[in-house]
Amino acid sequence: MELPFAEPYRIKMIEPIRRTTRSEREAWIARAKYNLFNLRSEEVYIDLLTDSGTGAMSSAQWAEIMLGDESYAGASSYYKLKETISELLGMPFLLPAHQGRAAENVLFSALIGVGKEGEGKVVPGNSHFDTTKGHIEFRHAHAIDCTIDEAFDTEIDHPFKGNVDLGKLEKVFMAHPRERIPLCLITITCNSSGGQPVSMANIRETSALCKRYGIPVYFDAARFAENAYFIKLREPGFADKAVKDIVREMFSYVEGCTMSSKKDGIVNIGGFTAFRNEETFRAATSFNIMFEGYNTYGGMAGRDLGALSVGLREACEPDYLSSRIGQVAYLGKALTAAGVPVQKPYGGHAIFIDAKRFLPKLPREEFIAQTLGVELYKEGGLRGVEIGAIMADRDPDTHENRYPALELLRLAIPRRVYTSDHMDYVAAVVINVFERRDAIKRGYRITWEAKLLRHFTVELAPAT
Ligand code: F0G
C-alpha cells in the first residue's frame, strides 16, 4: 500500500477553538453587516479567511525569537535574514518591511514614483493581488492583467495557470513607450487566479521578452516556495531537482522582489524587498526609511527578522511542501468527489470554489461569491473570503462596479495549523450548502463602501 501523506511535525502546544450554534452565527453575521472581516475570531470555528500571518511557527523559529537582536542599526538578526535571502534567492540587497503591501509601497515609490508621478504609467504582469493593484492605482498608474486565458476557466486543467501570456504582454509593450512601463510584475503563485503557479519556462521567456524591451522584471514572491514545488511536480526536467535549486533558478531571471513574509516566510508579520542591483536598492532605501524604518529593521522587531530567516528555509523543505500542497489537494479532492465546482488544478495555498457555477441563478449584482461565503459561515462557522466583484472594486475612471471573469470563494489554509480532520469538517460544511444550493435565491446589496479596497470594510444587507 502506498503510504499516505502525514504532517512532518507533531503538536506541542494547542489553541482551543469552539463550535457555535447556527442561531448564534446568524446573529453575529447580521451584526457584522454580512462582511466576514467584521466577525470576531471567537465567532469562527475554522478560519480559512487567509493563509497570511496565520501559520504556526516551529520550535526552531521560537528559539530564534529568544535570540532576537533589538539594536536599532546593524542587528545580528538582520544579518541572519540577509544571508538567508542572499543564499536562497540570490538577492544580495535587502530592505525589511512590516508586511507585503509595505514592501510594494517602497518598491513602487522608487520605480513608479510618488503621487501623480505615476500618471499614464502601466505595470503589466499576471493577475496582480488587490493591494498591489491598489498601490499602483493609488499612484494614478494602471495594472494590466496579462494572465493566460486558461486561468479564467476553472474547468481547464492547465498545470501553470499563473503563466503570463507573452502575446498580451508584448501588446502592452507596443502600446506604451518604454518610460511609461517602470516594471513587469510576476506574482508567484498567482493568488488572484487561484493560487496557481508560473512555470520556469514562462518566467524565463517573460524575462527574455522584457529584456528585449528594456523593462525590469520583479516577483511578488509571497508564495515562492509553493510555486517552486509545483515546478518540481509538474514541469518536465525538474522532478529530480531540489526545491532550493529551483528557487534559485526562478530568481535568477528577475531584478528583485517584494515579499509578504506572512505566507511562505511562515511568520505572523513581516515583509521585505530584495534587489540584485545596488542602484535600485539605494533608490528604495530613502522610501524604506521614511515609511518603514531604518534599513536594518524596516518596521520589524529583530526577533521577528530572526524567526523569518528560519521560516524561509523551512518553507523550502520537501517534506513540509509535500504535506502542505497535499493537505490543500486533500480538501480539493473531497469537494470534487461531491460535485462541488472548484478551480482546477488545486492551488498551492487554497481551494477556490467557483461561485458562479455553485449558484448559477444568482445575479452578479447580488455578489455571488460573497453570498456563498455568508452561507458557509452560517452552516458551520467556516470563514472563507470573497474574491469576486466586491474585491474587484469600482473602476477608478468610470466608478462602475467591475465584474471579474471569475467569482471565487477562497478557502485559504493556514500553514501547519489544521489537521485532516478539520479538512473533513470543512468539506462537510461546503457539501451541505451545495446540497441545498437551489434554495439560495437572493444575495446582498452594498449599504456602505470605501473608495479603495472596499472588501475589507464593506457593509451589506440582504437584497430584497
Ligand atoms: N501579494 C500577494 C500575492 C498577496 O497574496 C498578498 C496578501 C500581498 C501581496 C500583500 O501582503 O498582506 O503582507 O501586506 N495576501 C493576503 C491574502 C492578505 O489573504 O491573500 P501583506
Side-chain angles (χ1 to χ4, degrees), residues 93-331:
F93 301 103
L94 166 70
L95 289 173
H98 77 275
Q99 61 181 88
R101 67 201 70 184
E104 289 163 3
N105 190 29
V106 169
L107 182 73
F108 295 165
S109 295
L111 296 184
I112 305 176
V114 290
K116 294 209 164 186
E117 281 172 10
E119 216 159 308
K121 293 185 184 168
V122 295
V123 180
N126 53 359
S127 297
H128 305 69
F129 183 65
D130 59 344
T131 59
T132 319
K133 197 180 203 173
H135 271 296
I136 293 168
E137 292 178 353
F138 185 68
R139 295 175 160 74
H140 306 269
H142 283 277
I144 303 184
D145 188 346
C146 299
T147 313
I148 55 168
D149 288 336
E150 288 89 334
F152 303 105
D153 184 338
T154 55
E155 291 294 297
I156 296 179
D157 209 343
H158 184 293
F160 292 102
K161 279 184 167 176
N163 277 0
V164 177
D165 182 322
L166 297 174
K168 289 184 191 173
L169 185 63
E170 191 153 25
K171 268 195 194 141
V172 175
F173 291 167
M174 294 194 302
H176 301 269
R178 157 73 192 92
E179 61 279 9
R180 295 264 172 92
I181 314 173
L183 74 156
C184 171
L185 191 70
I186 309 179
T187 303
I188 50 170
T189 58
C190 189
N191 190 1
S192 308
S193 73
Q196 299 291 320
V198 182
S199 71
M200 190 72 86
N202 190 255
I203 295 170
R204 192 187 309 118
E205 286 159 16
T206 302
S207 164
L209 179 64
C210 288
K211 200 165 264 168
R212 282 217 304 281
Y213 284 86
I215 315 283
V217 185
Y218 284 77
F219 278 147
D220 173 343
R223 299 179 181 85
F224 73 96
E226 291 169 8
N227 198 96
Y229 193 67
F230 279 122
I231 289 176
K232 183 177 169 69
L233 289 185
R234 297 182 184 166
E235 192 161 348
F238 289 93
D240 297 329
K241 293 217 163 122
V243 172
K244 277 190 182 162
D245 294 336
I246 297 175
V247 167
R248 269 304 277 257
E249 184 179 343
M250 282 159 50
F251 279 82
S252 72
Y253 299 116
V254 300
E255 286 302 310
C257 69
T258 59
M259 168 89 189
S260 168
S261 312
K262 301 168 76 174
K263 283 81 169 175
D264 278 351
I266 329 186
V267 289
N268 302 117
I269 194 72
F272 59 83
T273 45
F275 304 86
R276 178 180 311 291
N277 172 306
E278 187 165 8
E279 212 179 309
T280 329
F281 160 77
R282 280 179 188 264
T285 52
S286 33
F287 296 108
N288 214 75
I289 292 171
M290 200 153 55
F291 298 135
E292 294 300 297
Y294 180 64
N295 296 338
T296 61
Y297 77 89
M300 298 273 286
R303 61 181 82 98
D304 290 329
L305 296 174
L308 174 57
S309 74
V310 176
L312 287 168
R313 290 181 195 278
E314 289 181 353
C316 295
E317 284 170 10
D319 283 355
Y320 158 74
L321 281 166
S322 107
S323 147
R324 163 86 179 141
I325 302 294
Q327 188 179 46
V328 175
Y330 177 83
L331 175 60

Side-chain angles (χ1 to χ4, degrees), residues 29 72 78-79 127 165 237 304 332 355 393 412 455:
I29 194 68
Y72 191 96
Y78 168 80
Y79 285 103
S127 297
D165 182 322
D304 290 329
D393 270 332
H455 61 285

